[in-house]
């Protein structure tokens, strides 16, 4: 007579349960794939977040389209638990069942890959299309104190002008300390303790303007520039927007990254205090307070800076998943060998 | 480059057509020499296709499997490789005619297509892609073989023909095709996952192709377990093999041709 505990254990190790769970998960995944395809507005950004983040931000608010996801997760979890129990049961009888090593390595691999997926999506983070300029420090916000610096960027093109590769000389910093420096390019990401930085695309954006000042020649004006006026006052560039627009509330904001209607936020001050602060629209004449302060210059050409679009993902489950992958590979090889060995020693169909 | 491709492809097609006819004649006429001749023709056709594939690979500098012509050509080559493996090992003869039929359909459908070699997208330029594709199509070919054997099992169950392998043998061969196919597909998924991690920073993506690849894997994982359940052995397994090939065809062709995905087929 089996106890309730034994019956539960047998159920957990049941082959039939595995088939039922796999069948249900297959059917639900078929249904889910079609729902995902039919509702790109709901599921379009699934890959840009971890599952936990996406569920908090989007999934839980669209339950009529997403109800199947937790159910599929539950089925996958139950299948992983069922597989794990079968693995434990096999280990208990290892002396008599060692010939099944290949098959059970595949089971162990599946359990580890499932666990890696769970850990990665619960505790990881994803930053999609991070725009990092050459020489700029990019804070990895979910990892306080960590920064990426794009030391150098170089796109490579083929003879017909087609993009071939993107060389991103990247440094990963923790405070002032450099943790790793590596050239990240296509299929060669920067990797560090579960963090993976992949180049996605690139571009260039106007960062300021070269201006001509009578008597001084060409000067570069970009965010952070200072211009001595010669009368004791100093002109500071606080911000530069390549395409600015003035809203109904009077506030100036960025409309796009293209060079359309550039504007600079300027501050003129003397040692005894601020004289003027305001926007200078580069397609218009200099604001009157600057002219009256004796400042003369006019824009000559924009200054561009290259940027790289990077995908920055952190997956703390990657080592579990990789271990699972190694077990899966080893398991498939062993299963194949043992299958043909069994065939050789007798279990061979005789045909013809 | 195109000069050698079409004659080699037509040579392979002629060999496969004649081989199919030879197998059928051997089946209905019980002539063993005809089956032997058909086998020689299949191997000749396969050698012609292999030469064509090798030359295309050398010309491109990468395994050419990035458009519909190339993938169908490679799928056809993998199908015939599988067929030869089973025929040489088990002398299945006409039992693989469904596979040969699928193969002929594939070749006929690619004949009007442009065989030019496409430019390789930089992210595909990695040995992981090559391994992913090779194991993927080997798996697909094995599942096609299982479909063929499953269909024949149902036929044999009704006809009980002495000219065909017994139900027991067909069942065992079907299980072997499913197991090898599942193992190959597992390796394909592993290499695909590692490649996706280094190319895009995520090893599982929620696009429809990845989801259906997972569905194929899950379906055949279930089948590998179902063979231990008495009720599912034989007829049930044959029906599952046929249904599974439907899932494979949708994953390979349906998604690429009918839906928008990150694995488009043009």
């Amino acid at each position: 007579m089996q106890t309730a505990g034994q019956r539960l254990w047998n159920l957990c190790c049941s082959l039939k349960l595995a088939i039922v769970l796999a069948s249900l998960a297959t059917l639900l995944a078929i249904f889910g794939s079609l729902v995902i395809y039919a509702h790109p507005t709901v599921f379009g950004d699934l890959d840009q977040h971890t599952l936990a983040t996406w569920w908090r931000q989007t999934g839980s608010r669209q339950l009529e389209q997403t109800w199947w996801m937790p159910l599929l997760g539950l089925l996958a979890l139950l299948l992983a638990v069922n597989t794990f129990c079968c693995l434990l049961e096999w280990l208990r009888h290892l002396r008599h069942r060692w010939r099944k090593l290949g098959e059970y390595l595949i089971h162990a691999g599946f359990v580890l890959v499932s666990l890696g997926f769970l850990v990665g999506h619960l505790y990881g983070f994803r930053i999609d299309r991070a725009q990092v300029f050459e020489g700029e420090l990019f804070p990895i916000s979910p990892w306080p104190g960590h920064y990426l610096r794009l030391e150098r960027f170089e796109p490579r093109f083929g003879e017909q002008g087609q993009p071939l590769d993107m060389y991103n000389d990247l440094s990963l910093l923790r405070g002032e300390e450099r943790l790793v420096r590596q050239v990240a390019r296509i299929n060669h990401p920067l990797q560090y303790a579960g963090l993976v930085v992949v180049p996605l695309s690139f571009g260039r954006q106007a960062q300021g303007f070269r201006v001509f000042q009578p008597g001084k020649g060409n000067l570069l004006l970009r965010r952070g520039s200072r211009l001595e006026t010669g009368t004791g006052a100093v002109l500071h560039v606080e911000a530069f927007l390549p395409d600015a627009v003035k809203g109904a509330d009077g506030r100036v904001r960025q409309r796009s990254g293209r060079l359309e209607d550039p504007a600079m936020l300027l501050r003129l001050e003397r040692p005894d205090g601020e004289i003027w602060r305001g926007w200078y629209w580069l397609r218009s004449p200099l604001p009157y307070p600057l002219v009256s302060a004796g400042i003369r210059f006019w824009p000559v050409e924009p200054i561009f800076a290259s940027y790289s679009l990077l995908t920055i993902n952190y997956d703390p489950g990657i080592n579990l998943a990789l271990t699972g992958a190694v077990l899966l590979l080893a398991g498939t090889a062993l299963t194949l060998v043992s299958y043909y060995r069994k065939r050789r020693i007798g279990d061979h169909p005789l045909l013809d | 480059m195109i000069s050698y491709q079409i004659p080699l492809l037509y040579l392979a097609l002629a060999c496969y057509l004649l081989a199919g006819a030879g197998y059928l004649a051997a089946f209905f006429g019980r002539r063993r020499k005809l089956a032997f001749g058909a086998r020689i023709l299949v191997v000749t056709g396969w050698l012609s296709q292999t030469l064509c594939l090798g030359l295309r690979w050398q010309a491109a500098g990468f395994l050419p499997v990035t458009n519909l012509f190339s993938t169908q050509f490679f799928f056809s080559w993998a199908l015939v490789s599988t067929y030869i493996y089973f025929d040489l090992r088990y002398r299945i003869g006409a039992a693989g005619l469904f596979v040969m039929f699928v193969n002929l359909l594939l070749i006929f459908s690619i004949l009007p297509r442009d065989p030019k070699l496409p430019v390789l997208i930089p992210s595909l330029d990695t040995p992981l892609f090559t391994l992913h594709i090779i194991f993927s199509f080997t798996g697909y070919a094995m599942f096609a073989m299982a479909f063929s054997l499953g269909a024949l099992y149902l036929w044999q169950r009704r006809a009980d023909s002495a000219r065909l392998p017994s139900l027991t043998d067909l069942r065992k061969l079907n299980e072997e095709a499913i197991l090898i196919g599942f193992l190959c597909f597992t390796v394909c998924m592993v290499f695909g996952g590692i490649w996706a991690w280094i190319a895009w920073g995520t090893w599982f993506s929620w696009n429809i192709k990845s989801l259906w690849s997972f569905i194929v894997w899950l379906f055949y994982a279930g089948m590998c377990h179902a063979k231990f359940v008495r009720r599912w052995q034989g007829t049930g397994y044959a029906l599952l093999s046929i249904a599974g090939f439907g899932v494979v065809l949708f994953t390979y062709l349906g998604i690429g041709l009918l839906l928008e995905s990150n694995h488009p087929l043009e």
Side-chain angles (χ1 to χ4, degrees), chain A residues 15 19 25 29-30 33 36-37 47 126 163-164 186-187 189 191 196 198 313 315 339-340 343 350-352, chain B residues 85 89-91 122-123 126 169 173 176 179-180 197-199 201-203 205-206 212 218 225 228-229 259-260:
Chain A
L15 177 78
I19 296 169
I30 289 174
S33 73
I36 287 180
Y37 188 77
D47 281 328
R126 292 183 181 181
L164 287 183
I186 291 176
N187 287 328
Q191 293 189 62
V196 60
V198 180
N313 290 350
D315 184 348
Y339 180 79
Y340 282 107
R343 279 289 164 100
L350 296 171
L351 301 173
D352 205 17
Chain B
Y85 164 76
R89 192 176 173 99
Y90 303 118
R91 300 286 188 264
S123 60
T126 159
D169 289 340
L173 288 175
E176 179 176 347
L179 178 72
I180 301 174
W197 168 250
I198 64 162
T202 54
W203 52 269
S205 174
W206 286 96
W212 274 79
L218 206 56
H225 289 84
F228 298 112
V229 180
L259 309 175
E260 280 178 36

Side-chain angles (χ1 to χ4, degrees), chain A residues 15-16 18-19 22 25-26 29-30 32-34 36-37 46-47 51 68-69 72 79 100 106-107 110 113-114 116-117 121 126 160 162-165 185-189 191 194-196 198-200 311 313-315 317-318 321-322 325-326 328-329 331-332 335-336 339-340 343 347-352, chain B residues 32 39 85-86 89-92 119-120 122-126 165-166 168-170 172-173 175-177 179-180 182-184 186-187 190-191 194-208 211-212 214-219 221-222 224-229 231-232 247 250 258-261:
Chain A
L15 177 78
K16 287 181 183 170
I19 296 169
T26 302
I30 289 174
S33 73
L34 300 176
I36 287 180
Y37 188 77
L46 248 175
D47 281 328
L51 215 46
W68 58 272
M69 290 184 85
L72 184 60
L79 192 58
K100 289 268 181 189
I106 295 177
H107 284 72
F110 172 70
V113 168
S114 306
F117 184 85
H121 281 269
R126 292 183 181 181
Q160 281 118 32
Q162 77 277 21
L164 287 183
D165 215 332
R185 54 194 181 90
I186 291 176
N187 287 328
H188 294 83
Q191 293 189 62
L195 188 85
V196 60
V198 180
L200 189 69
T311 296
N313 290 350
Y314 172 62
D315 184 348
I318 187 64
L322 274 176
V326 170
L328 282 170
L329 289 180
T332 49
T335 303
L336 206 59
Y339 180 79
Y340 282 107
R343 279 289 164 100
D347 182 22
H348 191 291
L350 296 171
L351 301 173
D352 205 17
Chain B
R32 285 188 172 231
R39 193 169 294 135
Y85 164 76
F86 273 91
R89 192 176 173 99
Y90 303 118
R91 300 286 188 264
I92 58 170
V119 175
L120 191 68
S123 60
L124 304 186
D125 191 8
T126 159
S166 70
T168 312
D169 289 340
L170 284 171
K172 284 183 177 176
L173 288 175
E175 287 173 6
E176 179 176 347
L179 178 72
I180 301 174
F182 173 71
L183 295 177
C184 286
T186 304
V187 177
V190 168
F191 284 131
I194 297 172
W195 170 38
W197 168 250
I198 64 162
W200 297 285
T202 54
W203 52 269
F204 178 81
S205 174
W206 286 96
N207 64 70
I208 195 157
L211 263 172
W212 274 79
F214 176 64
I215 288 165
V216 168
W217 187 84
L218 206 56
F219 184 92
C224 286
H225 289 84
K227 73 178 173 190
F228 298 112
V229 180
R231 196 187 304 166
W232 281 102
V247 177
F250 182 72
L258 305 176
L259 309 175
E260 280 178 36
S261 82

Side-chain angles (χ1 to χ4, degrees), chain B:
Chain B
M1 198 155 46
I2 291 170
S3 57
Y4 62 77
Q5 292 179 33
I6 300 302
L8 285 173
L9 194 56
Y10 272 105
L11 174 63
L13 177 63
C15 287
Y16 297 147
L17 272 172
L18 286 172
Y23 277 128
L24 276 176
F27 175 65
F28 288 112
R30 296 189 180 210
R31 304 273 296 270
R32 285 188 172 231
K33 279 187 181 174
L34 275 174
F36 178 76
R39 193 169 294 135
I40 296 292
L41 279 167
V42 172
V43 173
T44 309
W46 179 80
L47 286 174
S48 163
Q49 238 185 322
T50 306
L51 181 64
C52 187
L53 178 68
L55 289 170
R56 279 170 63 82
W57 193 335
Q58 189 190 32
F62 57 90
L63 177 63
V65 279
T66 50
N67 61 8
L68 191 56
F69 178 93
S70 303
T71 56
Q72 283 191 227
F73 183 86
F74 190 70
F75 189 21
S76 154
W77 179 84
L79 269 179
V80 182
S81 308
T82 306
Y83 182 78
I84 288 174
Y85 164 76
F86 273 91
D87 198 19
L88 290 183
R89 192 176 173 99
Y90 303 118
R91 300 286 188 264
I92 58 170
L97 270 175
F98 284 104
V99 167
M100 198 48 75
F101 178 68
V102 173
N103 177 45
L104 286 171
L105 279 182
L106 276 173
I107 296 186
F108 272 119
S109 72
I110 60 172
L111 281 178
R113 294 189 182 278
D114 187 355
K116 76 170 182 206
L117 292 163
V119 175
L120 191 68
I121 301 166
S123 60
L124 304 186
D125 191 8
T126 159
L128 287 168
F129 168 68
T130 311
L131 289 167
H132 172 66
I133 290 293
I134 288 173
F135 282 103
S136 161
F137 279 103
T138 311
Y140 283 174
M142 285 290 169
F143 297 144
M145 192 73 217
F147 155 75
S148 185
L149 292 162
L152 205 74
Y153 181 94
L154 298 179
W155 186 3
Q156 174 71 325
R157 200 166 150 264
R158 287 177 67 114
D160 195 17
S161 169
R163 297 169 196 173
L164 287 172
S166 70
L167 285 176
T168 312
D169 289 340
L170 284 171
R171 180 174 69 81
K172 284 183 177 176
L173 288 175
N174 191 1
E175 287 173 6
E176 179 176 347
I178 294 287
L179 178 72
I180 301 174
F182 173 71
L183 295 177
C184 286
F185 207 71
T186 304
V187 177
C188 146
M189 297 275 278
V190 168
F191 284 131
I194 297 172
W195 170 38
W197 168 250
I198 64 162
W200 297 285
T202 54
W203 52 269
F204 178 81
S205 174
W206 286 96
N207 64 70
I208 195 157
K209 184 78 174 188
S210 303
L211 263 172
W212 274 79
S213 298
F214 176 64
I215 288 165
V216 168
W217 187 84
L218 206 56
F219 184 92
Y220 284 103
M223 275 191 78
C224 286
H225 289 84
K227 73 178 173 190
F228 298 112
V229 180
R230 189 172 296 277
R231 196 187 304 166
W232 281 102
Q233 289 170 353
T235 306
Y237 214 70
L239 289 170
L240 283 176
S241 306
I242 294 167
F245 190 57
V247 177
V248 166
L249 277 184
F250 182 72
T251 308
Y252 165 47
L253 288 175
I255 290 172
L257 294 175
L258 305 176
L259 309 175
E260 280 178 36
S261 82
N262 66 339
H263 288 61
L265 290 173
E266 289 160 4

Side-chain angles (χ1 to χ4, degrees), chain A residues 44 66 90 156 169 261 341:
Chain A
T66 61
W90 172 73
R156 298 268 170 99
D169 184 357
D261 201 357
R341 188 178 171 277

Side-chain angles (χ1 to χ4, degrees), chain A residues 1-12:
Chain A
M1 186 71 180
Q2 285 187 329
T3 63
Q6 278 172 330
R7 279 203 299 273
L8 181 64
W9 178 251
N10 289 343
L11 176 70
C12 287

Side-chain angles (χ1 to χ4, degrees), chain A residues 117-137:
Chain A
F117 184 85
L118 191 68
V119 170
H121 281 269
L122 280 179
Y123 303 110
F125 61 78
R126 292 183 181 181
I127 303 172
D128 190 54
R129 305 180 78 83
Q131 195 177 43
V132 187
F133 284 92
E134 242 178 333
E136 185 191 51
L137 269 183

Side-chain angles (χ1 to χ4, degrees), chain A residues 154-283:
Chain A
E154 186 191 336
R156 298 268 170 99
F157 298 95
E159 285 172 4
Q160 281 118 32
Q162 77 277 21
L164 287 183
D165 215 332
M166 299 170 270
Y167 282 69
N168 292 268
D169 184 357
L170 286 168
S171 291
L172 176 66
L173 308 163
R174 182 170 52 208
E176 298 288 312
E177 179 195 4
R178 179 187 285 158
L179 299 174
V180 61
R181 181 174 179 175
Q182 188 188 321
V183 172
R185 54 194 181 90
I186 291 176
N187 287 328
H188 294 83
L190 179 148
Q191 293 189 62
Y192 178 83
L195 188 85
V196 60
V197 183
V198 180
L200 189 69
S201 185
F202 61 91
R204 62 178 203 156
Q205 196 178 57
Q207 292 279 286
F209 258 76
R210 192 182 303 278
V211 297
F212 180 77
Q213 190 176 29
K216 287 194 176 175
N218 283 334
L219 301 166
L220 299 182
L221 288 189
R222 53 160 66 108
R223 189 163 66 94
S225 297
R226 296 173 81 246
L227 185 66
E228 304 285 344
T229 61
T231 60
V234 179
L235 186 70
H236 298 268
V237 180
E238 291 192 355
F240 172 80
L241 300 179
D243 184 19
V245 64
K246 199 169 188 175
D249 57 355
R251 297 176 72 173
V252 175
R253 58 181 175 78
Q254 178 153 315
R255 182 166 49 191
S256 75
R258 296 187 303 274
L259 188 67
E260 296 280 345
D261 201 357
M264 280 179 189
L265 180 60
L266 302 175
R267 190 178 81 242
L268 183 67
E269 64 180 22
R270 282 187 210 278
D272 53 348
E274 184 177 293
I275 301 173
W276 176 81
R277 184 171 181 270
W279 286 93
Y280 161 44
W281 299 81
L282 276 80
R283 292 187 189 280

